[in-house]
Amino acid sequence: MPVYGDRVALPKPIMPLCSKTVLVMEYIHGKRFIDGVKDHFKKYAKAQGKSYEELEKEEIEKMKRPDFKFKDLGKEKEKIQRYQRILDYKTNTSNLLKKCYNYTFGIFTQPYEYTEREVILNLGSIIETLAEVHGYEIMVNGAFNGDPHPGNILMMPDGRLGLIDYGQVKHLSMDTRLKYASLIVA
């Protein structure tokens, strides 16, 4: 998917191994989406001095309150992006100072280890990307995954989403796509 290649990866089929009833695709490295989200919230809970289960229970209780409102995904996406830029600035500044030290005094003493970039999970951005990709598949390509569920989404080590299991691809004619677009706009 060249249009979303910087954010999404799709496995390529291995044609010599495919038949009418069997689809074999290349392996994509990554963590199941739901496991990646849980891992993120486990880290968040630990930073708050809570267990994952306590955090989950608190959030469920918040959602049960009559005054509960979901957050605006667009605003949350932008907020997380701002936090990520601040965190990147902090990490990059720290690593620059460590590099300066390591190439001066660190030559004669113990050098500092560099800090790895920490990536904040941006669910707003992920949801937006998934909606865009699936919309593109349906409206532009006219062919889409007929089984898109969280188990078919991977969080790849490079930050992209891996969309897997294209064993049920559905096709829409241009006429059907135009009718669908009219329905959405109406």
Side-chain angles (χ1 to χ4, degrees), residues 10-87:
L10 300 177
K12 293 179 181 75
I14 302 171
M15 296 310 289
L17 300 177
C18 295
S19 71
K20 269 187 146 180
T21 57
V22 176
L23 173 64
V24 179
M25 301 183 91
E26 68 183 356
Y27 182 79
I28 291 185
H29 293 275
K31 186 180 285 195
R32 286 181 352 149
F33 179 71
I34 195 71
D35 294 336
V37 171
K38 280 184 180 178
D39 288 349
H40 171 78
F41 283 107
K42 284 177 183 177
K43 277 196 250 180
Y44 179 76
K46 186 177 179 182
Q48 300 292 318
K50 303 173 187 175
S51 71
Y52 170 76
E53 291 75 18
E54 290 171 321
L55 178 67
E56 183 178 42
K57 185 178 178 183
E58 283 177 17
E59 293 303 314
I60 289 171
E61 289 303 317
K62 282 182 194 176
M63 291 173 73
K64 288 180 180 178
R65 292 196 304 233
D67 62 338
F68 175 78
K69 291 183 182 166
F70 283 101
K71 295 178 180 177
D72 180 287
L73 280 180
K75 289 179 182 175
E76 284 299 303
K77 175 187 154 193
E78 291 172 11
K79 183 171 79 172
I80 297 297
Q81 287 172 336
R82 281 193 303 275
Y83 288 157
Q84 186 67 59
R85 284 192 296 271
I86 291 167
L87 186 60

Side-chain angles (χ1 to χ4, degrees), residues 120-147:
I120 302 172
L121 182 67
N122 191 335
L123 287 174
S125 182
I126 291 171
I127 291 167
E128 181 180 86
T129 297
L130 290 171
E132 287 177 9
V133 167
H134 290 298
Y136 186 87
E137 287 178 340
I138 293 166
M139 302 310 272
V140 178
N141 292 342
F144 62 96
N145 184 346
D147 189 25

Side-chain angles (χ1 to χ4, degrees), residues 4 17 40 44 58 61-62 73 89 92 95-96 103 113 139 153 160-161 170 176 183:
Y4 294 95
L17 300 177
H40 171 78
Y44 179 76
E58 283 177 17
E61 289 303 317
K62 282 182 194 176
L73 280 180
Y89 178 77
N92 292 340
N95 283 338
L96 176 63
Y103 282 95
E113 288 194 28
M139 302 310 272
I153 302 168
R160 292 181 299 161
L161 296 174
K170 305 299 178 197
T176 302
L183 175 68

